[in-house]
Amino acid sequence: MKLVVWVKLLPTPEQAAALAETLHACNSAAGFVSRVAFERKVFSRARLQELVYGEMKARGLSAQPALHVIRKVADAYTVLRAQIAAGLLGEPESPRRVKAEGKPVRFRPDAAQPFDDRCLSWQVDARTVSIWTVRGRMKNLAFTGEPSQLKTLAEHRQGESDLVYRDGKWLLAVTCEVPEAPLNTDPADWIGVDRGIVNLATTSDGDNHQGRGLKRYRRRMARVRAELQAKGTKSAKRKLRRRARREARHAAHINHTIAKTVVADAQRTGRGIALEILDGIRDRVRLRRHQRATHSSWPFHQLGEFIAYKARRVGVPVLEVDAAYTSQTCPRCGHVSRMNRPSRDAFCCVVCGLAGPADHIAAVNVRTRARTAWVFVNTPDAAVSPSYRRGQSRAANPPR
């Protein structure tokens, strides 16, 4: 499986100036190629190369960087056409779609630029890289990173690396091909995971990963964001962008921690992990006005993705099951009623009297549905096989 490792570059002022000049030159060239592609309606990589390769060389780009620029533009238009075909930019006459189709794709001066092994070589033991720039080959450019990430870099680096400039820092996003452990095709049982706002994740084992600290943090950030938005100055907008990235990093760190804990428990006990399908939850759930922003911006999907890829690395199976009525269904007698959940935190079956925390009950129901789904997947006549990919795992869901 492919993973991205981030390392931080430690350039001298002269090296930083050369890197900045290189990014600006590459993205200026990308803007030129994009205009040519838009005006002539030529979007294939091979045709674009015939049209603009000479101009790329005249702009001071070497052969490989020029080809990477052309490929970056072709890929950008491929993504744009895919978004239009999927309806992500609205109807044909919508302002957003008209705007996207009516002008060439633009590239920021400091947008990321890919480098392959011909343009970028690694000296992992010395913690340095040698990289192509418009000023010539730059050697002995130091880098650093987390020990675990550096270990992955040394053992599994394969493919391209992207040069990124973000918040005054120079970074390299490195592609690594990490081997996967054999899939556990005979799990002893399943760990049901219920994702929520007050409790970010509650498992069928009773483990509760509360989100109160993250909720307080996001409320504080919301107040600061409102103050900066009220100012409306350029410096306030820059601070807003920095704070948005900081908030996203904070939430991602918490989700990584939760996912690591859940996957470690499943691996140690030989079980699989069952998650709810939460697609379309914003359309299905009606909330009060003060709850909408928190609900819409909460990283439900990110936590599920983190659990899935970490499980994939260690061979733990993952299933997604139907989320309907998991918090209103009694796991003992099967009675389904809104009255079973008198409050957000409490569950009490009106038929058999089973009581407990609502999130824990939901996680137990997710586990039960995963058991049924796994039996369905492994029947001889099943048309699907267990998979980590979202579309295939949905096909394994049992009917309601």
Side-chain angles (χ1 to χ4, degrees):
M1 63 180 296
K2 292 186 181 296
L3 292 180
V4 176
V5 170
W6 289 87
V7 298
K8 180 181 178 182
L9 297 178
L10 305 173
T12 64
E14 294 78 10
Q15 291 173 331
L19 293 176
E21 187 176 344
T22 300
L23 272 192
H24 294 168
C26 290
N27 288 299
S28 175
F32 166 77
V33 177
S34 179
R35 290 190 295 271
V36 172
F38 180 79
E39 293 169 359
R40 301 200 181 188
K41 305 302 179 184
V42 175
F43 304 112
S44 71
R45 188 186 310 175
R47 291 288 307 281
L48 279 176
Q49 183 175 335
E50 295 175 359
L51 292 174
V52 302
Y53 182 76
E55 178 64 23
M56 296 294 98
K57 297 286 289 184
R59 288 173 174 261
L61 300 186
S62 298
Q64 285 300 114
L67 295 178
H68 282 301
V69 167
I70 295 170
R71 189 185 67 179
K72 181 166 72 171
V73 174
D75 291 345
Y77 278 101
T78 299
V79 172
L80 177 61
R81 292 197 301 271
Q83 290 177 336
I84 292 174
L88 300 180
L89 299 181
E91 299 298 327
E93 302 300 327
S94 65
R96 186 181 180 189
R97 180 165 172 177
V98 170
K99 182 178 179 180
E101 294 179 324
K103 62 180 182 179
V105 175
R106 298 177 59 185
F107 294 87
R108 294 178 290 104
D110 57 351
Q113 175 65 20
F115 290 84
D116 60 16
D117 287 344
R118 296 183 182 182
C119 307
L120 177 68
S121 58
W122 295 82
Q123 299 81 44
V124 178
D125 294 337
R127 299 283 179 87
T128 61
V129 295
S130 172
I131 187 172
W132 173 88
T133 69
V134 292
R135 297 184 183 180
R137 192 80 176 189
M138 181 191 301
K139 299 181 179 180
N140 299 321
L141 176 57
F143 69 88
T144 186
E146 291 289 334
S148 59
Q149 300 241 332
L150 294 177
K151 181 180 179 182
T152 302
L153 171 68
E155 297 176 353
H156 306 295
R157 188 190 70 82
Q158 183 177 351
E160 295 180 352
S161 304
D162 288 350
L163 179 63
V164 180
Y165 182 72
R166 181 183 298 167
D167 296 335
K169 300 176 183 178
W170 289 99
L171 307 168
L172 280 174
V174 189
T175 303
C176 296
E177 188 71 32
V178 180
E180 301 177 19
L183 177 65
N184 178 12
T185 57
D186 187 21
D189 199 0
W190 295 86
I191 298 178
V193 180
D194 176 73
R195 288 169 283 175
I197 294 178
V198 176
N199 301 317
L200 292 185
T202 302
T203 70
S204 54
D205 294 342
D207 297 328
N208 186 13
H209 302 276
Q210 295 186 353
R212 293 178 181 175
L214 182 57
K215 188 175 182 179
R216 288 195 297 268
Y217 173 83
R218 292 171 73 91
R219 283 181 175 175
R220 178 167 59 85
M221 295 293 285
R223 290 195 297 268
V224 175
R225 185 163 52 248
E227 295 173 359
L228 293 174
Q229 288 172 341
K231 292 182 179 180
T233 61
K234 289 185 177 179
S235 61
K237 292 178 181 178
R238 286 196 298 269
K239 289 182 179 179
L240 279 171
R241 288 192 291 269
R242 288 198 298 269
R243 285 187 173 274
R245 289 193 290 267
R246 183 188 304 174
E247 184 177 354
R249 290 194 301 270
H250 184 74
H253 170 72
I254 292 177
N255 279 341
H256 272 299
T257 303
I258 295 173
K260 185 176 181 180
T261 301
V262 173
V263 172
D265 288 343
Q267 182 186 15
R268 186 182 64 253
T269 57
R271 292 180 290 177
I273 300 174
L275 302 173
E276 300 169 300
I277 298 175
L278 297 181
D279 288 1
I281 190 172
R282 298 177 186 176
D283 300 326
R284 298 196 306 267
V285 179
R286 294 184 179 180
L287 300 170
R288 295 182 177 88
R289 183 176 180 179
H290 72 277
Q291 296 175 317
R292 292 172 189 166
T294 301
H295 185 272
S296 297
S297 61
W298 208 261
F300 298 110
H301 178 72
Q302 185 187 69
L303 177 57
E305 292 295 313
F306 287 174
I307 291 175
Y309 98 80
K310 291 179 187 294
R312 184 179 174 187
R313 287 191 65 178
V314 296
V316 173
V318 175
L319 277 182
E320 288 184 315
V321 300
D322 186 13
Y325 307 110
T326 52
S327 62
Q328 300 177 16
T329 302
C330 178
R332 183 162 64 186
C333 68
H335 178 68
V336 182
S337 173
R338 183 177 297 179
M339 300 299 294
N340 286 349
R341 192 174 182 181
S343 66
R344 200 225 71 85
D345 296 322
F347 177 93
C348 184
C349 180
V350 297
V351 174
C352 69
L354 178 68
D359 291 339
H360 181 219
I361 295 296
V364 171
N365 286 324
V366 170
R367 180 187 64 187
T368 302
R369 294 183 182 184
R371 292 170 176 170
T372 305
W374 190 253
V375 172
F376 174 77
V377 165
N378 287 278
T379 55
D381 297 331
V384 294
S385 60
S387 172
Y388 294 104
R389 291 178 293 180
R390 181 178 296 273
Q392 290 184 348
S393 60
R394 281 182 191 158
N397 295 335
R400 296 186 186 179

